Every structure is written in structure tokens, then in C-alpha cells.
Amino acid sequence: MEPQVSNGPTSNTTNGPSSNSRNCPSPMQTGAATDDSKTNLIVNYLPQNMTQEEFRSLFGSIGEIESCKLVRDKITGKLLSVACFPAHQGQLTLKVSYARPSSASIRDANLYVSGLPKTMTQKELEQLFSQYGRIITSRILVDQVTGVSRGVGFIRFDKRIEAEEAIKGLNGQKPSGATEPITVKFANNPSQKTSQALLSQLYQSPNRRYPGPLHHQAQRFRLDNLLNMAYGVKRFSPITIDGMTSLVGMNIPGHTGTGWCIFVYNLSPDSDESVLWQLFGPFGAVNNVKVIRDFNTNKCKGFGFVTMTNYDEAAMAIASLNGYRLGDRVLQVSFKTNKTHKS
DNA sequence: TGCGATT
């Protein structure tokens, strides 16, 4: 994460200000408690091991503190800002700036962008969006293993209205040099994937493995045969794949940084994620499921994806569910392929 | 016969 605004090196964790002689008026003394635009600070690049007490002590040496809080990630518990160590300094440099006052005008100004050319850099992404306003943060998501862009990213504008204008101007447009249009929409809140994680946990418990309506069908298959059916030829050994960095970037069907990705075709228009959990959960650890929907109608476009942790379980699921009749439809299930470079 | 992506 890059600092967007720098006030210069203002403090240092090892030799920061220690004097108590500064005479800074506190909000209470000035009666400015209702306007925190100049009394509320945001501090980035705090060390991960800093305690609330140390944080208070560091800034309490400068003036009276009305309140202070360390902001941690809800899931990991880590401090949200990432420490940076400038090479020439070898020490931690804090970034201290005025906190942006929370108000309706800057709320929900975060955009999710998909369909980006894989070659587009973060800088180019910012250049594209900067015509619509001041960008606070930007990010392009990359594959965990290869580092290659996943073609999706985020842009946070200073103001909600700037984000709205960017959607109007860029959604469905082709960036110069791009062959496909991009999708620009408001981003989801980065929480609430916890429900999915809970579902995943449920299906990963041993006594939930291979139960349900497909139990007998799944048992009829021997693993060797399943693997051959899934790939048509000899199996890839997941041990070999994980152990050989030279294979990174190779086009192994379905293999991603986080597991084995499965393409599911011929879902009905009213399908939702729960049907994929129910179909694939019985075969083992499911990381993630996704039903692809039409932007306008919100109906399923007929296909979806399932990512499973273990190769053997993914292959078993494919062998069992490919050709499976769901209502009046016959599912087609296979490892996902790269459909990006269609020649 | 159709292959996304939510920090």
C-alpha cells in the first residue's frame, strides 16, 4: 500500500517526540469538539506489534488525547496499515495526516472494476479513472502464484459523485488498446464473506464428506479412473505441481493459486450459490462457489464456478456430476479452462 | 459448446 498524501516524515517509533513542553490546545480547551476536521488524525504504517497503550503514549506526549483507536482487520486481527521500511533509513516512518471526516459525500465512493486487460498496470488504471475525480486508493488483484493480473480491481474516489460519474463514463467502455469492455460498479463491502466461509467449514468436516443424494453414485468410481475421466489422459500429480516452481504459469486446467477451479454449465436461470454448495460439498472441501449472473436481469447466465481445495476431491466431483441430471437439465462439469485467448 | 473473480 502506497501513501497517497505525505506530510513528510513526521515521527519515528524509536526516537519520536518525547517532550511534554508543547502547548497544543486540546479540542476540549478550544471548544472545537464538534468539528473534528482539524483535531482528528489518521496514522498509517504503525508497527504491527504496537499496543493501544504505546499508541496513546506516543501521541499523548504531544497533547491531550480525547480518544484514540487502533484499527484492526476483523478477521486477521492485524493493524490495517502496513509498515514500510525505507531502504535508506531502515526505520519505521509513520504517516500522520488529518482524518477525512466521515460524511455522506465520501461514503460509498469505492468502485469494483472487472474485465480489465491483463496487461493494465495500477498506474494505467488510475490514469483511466483520474479524469473523474481524486483517487484515494486503487488496486489490481493478481494471481497468488503467478502474480499475473486477474483483470479486476478497485478504485476509491474522494467523493461519491465522482464514483457515480466514473460509472457513467467508463462502464461498458473499452479502454484504449483493449479488446473487451470493462465493467464498473460500486464495490461490495469487504466483510460478509464470512457466511460463505462458515458454509465451507461445514462441508469440510469429515462426517459431512460424501453424504447426501450422490453418496452411492460417488462410491462406484475408483480414483484412478476418475482422474483419467476428468482429464481424458493420465493424471497430474498435485504433489509434483506444488513442488515444481517451473510449472508456475503453465496452463494446467483448473489449477489456481488457491485450489482447483471447476466450470459448471447448464444451470437454470434461477440458480443460486446454494445449489452449487449442495452439489459439490459432499465431495470434499469447497473453497468458493459462484453463479454468474446477467448484469441487468440478475438471472443466472447458465454457468458457474466451484473452487475445491484438493485435486482428488475435485476430480471425484467432476466425474460424478458431469452428466448429472438436475431438474430437466443435464449438467456439464469440467475443470475450468482459459477462455481468455481465443484465437 | 456456454469459462468469473469483491481488496
Side-chain angles (χ1 to χ4, degrees):
Chain A
M1 190 189 203
E2 293 279 322
Q4 305 86 42
V5 182
S6 177
N7 291 342
T10 51
S11 184
N12 189 290
T13 51
T14 52
N15 61 0
S18 56
S19 167
N20 277 323
S21 63
R22 298 276 297 275
N23 190 20
C24 297
S26 76
M28 296 310 285
Q29 290 165 331
T30 60
T34 52
D35 175 18
D36 62 2
S37 67
K38 289 287 160 45
T39 60
N40 195 26
L41 301 178
I42 183 165
V43 184
N44 286 106
Y45 310 118
L46 291 165
Q48 274 299 334
N49 57 6
M50 185 170 240
T51 65
Q52 177 84 20
E53 290 70 32
E54 289 169 334
F55 183 53
R56 177 173 278 278
S57 171
L58 179 63
F59 283 81
S61 66
I62 299 168
E64 187 182 335
I65 296 169
E66 186 183 278
S67 66
C68 72
K69 185 167 97 173
L70 290 175
V71 182
R72 295 181 183 279
D73 185 287
K74 280 176 200 149
I75 295 153
T76 66
K78 290 190 168 184
L79 287 177
L80 276 184
S81 63
V82 178
C84 66
F85 294 88
H88 65 277
Q89 202 177 349
Q91 288 179 322
L92 196 61
T93 301
L94 298 185
K95 175 192 157 198
V96 183
S97 8
Y98 291 118
R100 284 150 43 87
S102 58
S103 71
S105 69
I106 67 166
R107 204 153 34 220
D108 303 322
N110 195 29
L111 296 180
Y112 172 77
V113 189
S114 60
L116 294 168
K118 298 292 199 291
T119 54
M120 181 177 270
T121 65
Q122 186 181 8
K123 193 171 196 172
E124 290 167 338
L125 180 68
E126 288 203 7
Q127 280 168 2
L128 181 63
F129 280 82
S130 62
Q131 55 184 313
Y132 296 97
R134 175 170 170 243
I135 294 167
I136 302 301
T137 57
S138 70
R139 175 165 297 182
I140 289 179
L141 302 188
V142 299
D143 184 280
Q144 282 184 343
V145 176
T146 64
V148 174
S149 167
R150 291 161 69 194
V152 300
F154 295 88
I155 291 280
R156 181 183 292 280
F157 277 102
D158 183 37
K159 298 250 160 37
R160 162 96 183 181
I161 191 160
E162 295 170 337
E164 287 171 358
E165 290 303 312
I167 291 175
K168 284 183 201 163
L170 291 176
N171 184 38
Q173 297 295 120
K174 288 182 194 169
S176 64
T179 56
E180 299 301 319
I182 62 172
T183 299
V184 186
K185 57 174 95 166
F186 286 109
N188 292 338
N189 228 315
S191 55
Q192 73 191 216
K193 67 177 173 185
T194 41
S195 62
Q196 206 174 71
L198 283 171
L199 275 169
S200 181
Q201 289 294 318
L202 190 72
Y203 280 115
Q204 283 181 45
S205 66
N207 64 338
R208 285 284 301 168
R209 198 154 296 183
Y210 307 114
L214 299 168
H215 183 63
H216 302 295
Q217 186 179 348
Q219 272 189 333
R220 287 174 40 229
F221 294 88
R222 283 193 64 237
L223 188 59
D224 297 13
N225 293 335
L226 297 174
L227 297 170
N228 288 346
M229 287 166 67
Y231 272 134
V233 283
K234 287 193 172 154
R235 69 174 294 192
F236 291 96
S237 163
I239 296 160
T240 305
I241 289 161
D242 290 338
M244 292 181 66
T245 49
S246 63
L247 285 172
V248 166
M250 272 185 67
N251 192 12
I252 299 162
H255 189 240
T256 70
T258 51
W260 296 87
C261 191
I262 298 165
F263 175 64
V264 186
Y265 182 70
N266 214 13
L267 297 169
S268 78
D270 58 358
S271 299
D272 64 3
E273 270 71 11
S274 69
V275 72
L276 292 179
W277 284 111
Q278 287 167 25
L279 282 169
F280 286 82
F283 292 93
V286 177
N287 298 338
N288 183 52
V289 303
K290 184 74 183 176
V291 166
I292 306 306
R293 294 183 172 84
D294 181 88
F295 181 81
N296 295 315
T297 67
N298 212 32
K299 292 284 185 187
C300 174
K301 287 163 86 169
F303 63 96
F305 296 93
V306 176
T307 305
M308 297 186 70
T309 306
N310 304 308
Y311 176 89
D312 292 355
E313 291 168 350
M316 176 81 86
I318 289 170
S320 302
L321 293 173
N322 185 38
Y324 181 76
R325 182 165 166 161
L326 184 66
D328 56 351
R329 292 163 169 269
V330 176
L331 296 185
Q332 293 175 38
V333 184
S334 63
F335 281 114
K336 172 183 139 47
T337 60
N338 283 337
K339 206 64 186 344
T340 42
H341 48 75
K342 50 206 167 199
S343 53

